[in-house]
Amino acid sequence: MKRRKTPRPRGSAPVTPPGFLATQDLKDRGWTVGLIARFLGHHDDTRENGLKMGRRRLPPVKLYREERVLEAERDEAFLLGQARAADARERAERARETREAKRRALLGAAAESYTPSIHPEPLRRGAVRKAREPYLPGLEATLGNLKREIGKVTPREEATLRALLLKRLHAALAAAYPWYPAPDAPPTPRPTSGEAQPSDWREWDWD
């Protein structure tokens, strides 16, 4: 007989009833989707899902009786399957880390190919924005070319690559203008008094 659901107060978050474990609880205990299907089969009950996607509430949360879970976890076949699943997760994580390291190296090498040619102008000291702006279109064009050469660049990788290119542009501008803040320069400490200091220009944006 299906268990009668206890109504919850309006506005309160759904709670898994005592004696049951939700799918996420099982995953926290080392279960996988395959292990759940093999050793537990069909769920015993459901509860309301407290999460929403826009205005649409997500499907109900599947619940499994805790006594069934504990019994399955004592099964030698389950323990062996769980160990294999853990090994597979570790291999997948190592492979993911290796792929990400290779992509980072690829992005770094691509950024190294960008060497902006700076033509100093008679700008006033601290005119950081005016010094930088003429070179931004060229930077974006370089970014587009590198994206096509690398292929399948994710938005996150694009942001990383743009930051690397900007860093090289800042370094080139710092070499051309003695007052331009170098990208690797330590932050200038703010004065403790209310008076401005000669080094405050690094924090100013005069344009």
Side-chain angles (χ1 to χ4, degrees):
M1 184 174 66
K2 189 175 180 180
R3 190 177 65 86
R4 184 178 179 182
K5 294 182 174 62
T6 302
R8 63 184 179 88
R10 182 182 296 273
S12 62
V15 177
T16 299
F20 287 84
L21 294 173
T23 304
Q24 186 57 51
D25 298 325
L26 297 180
K27 291 181 179 180
D28 292 341
R29 296 165 72 98
W31 288 73
T32 65
V33 174
L35 291 174
I36 293 173
R38 178 182 174 187
F39 292 95
L40 295 179
H42 195 269
H43 56 278
D44 301 299
D45 207 339
T46 62
R47 69 161 171 80
E48 183 182 355
N49 197 322
L51 301 178
K52 292 183 179 181
M53 183 176 293
R55 295 184 177 181
R56 182 171 62 86
R57 189 173 294 278
L58 296 179
V61 174
K62 296 177 181 179
L63 301 177
Y64 300 84
R65 292 203 317 272
E66 188 173 8
E67 60 187 33
R68 285 213 302 136
V69 174
L70 295 177
E71 181 180 356
E73 289 179 343
R74 290 191 289 267
D75 191 316
E76 185 175 350
F78 168 80
L79 296 175
L80 180 59
Q82 188 181 46
R84 288 174 175 171
D87 289 341
R89 284 195 299 271
E90 290 179 3
R91 290 195 300 272
E93 179 64 20
R94 288 196 297 269
R96 183 188 64 80
E97 292 176 352
T98 299
R99 288 194 302 271
E100 290 184 351
K102 289 181 178 179
R103 291 294 285 186
R104 287 195 298 270
L106 179 61
L107 295 176
E112 289 291 330
S113 67
Y114 173 56
T115 305
S117 179
I118 306 300
H119 306 283
E121 299 290 339
L123 301 175
R124 68 173 181 262
R125 185 180 183 87
V128 173
R129 189 182 305 171
K130 285 186 176 180
R132 179 179 61 237
E133 282 182 346
Y135 303 96
L136 294 180
L139 183 147
E140 290 298 325
T142 299
L143 176 63
N145 292 335
L146 292 176
K147 285 171 56 180
R148 286 189 291 272
E149 291 175 8
I150 295 172
K152 296 182 179 180
V153 176
T154 66
R156 183 177 179 179
E157 290 176 337
E158 179 179 349
T160 298
L161 184 55
R162 179 179 281 107
L164 292 173
L165 296 177
L166 279 171
K167 184 176 181 180
R168 291 184 63 80
L169 175 59
H170 292 321
L173 288 168
Y177 296 101
W179 44 262
Y180 196 96
D184 295 324
T188 304
R190 295 185 178 275
T192 55
S193 66
E195 298 180 0
Q197 302 295 316
S199 60
D200 287 350
W201 62 268
R202 287 185 181 274
E203 304 295 331
W204 300 346
D205 199 355
W206 293 348
D207 301 321

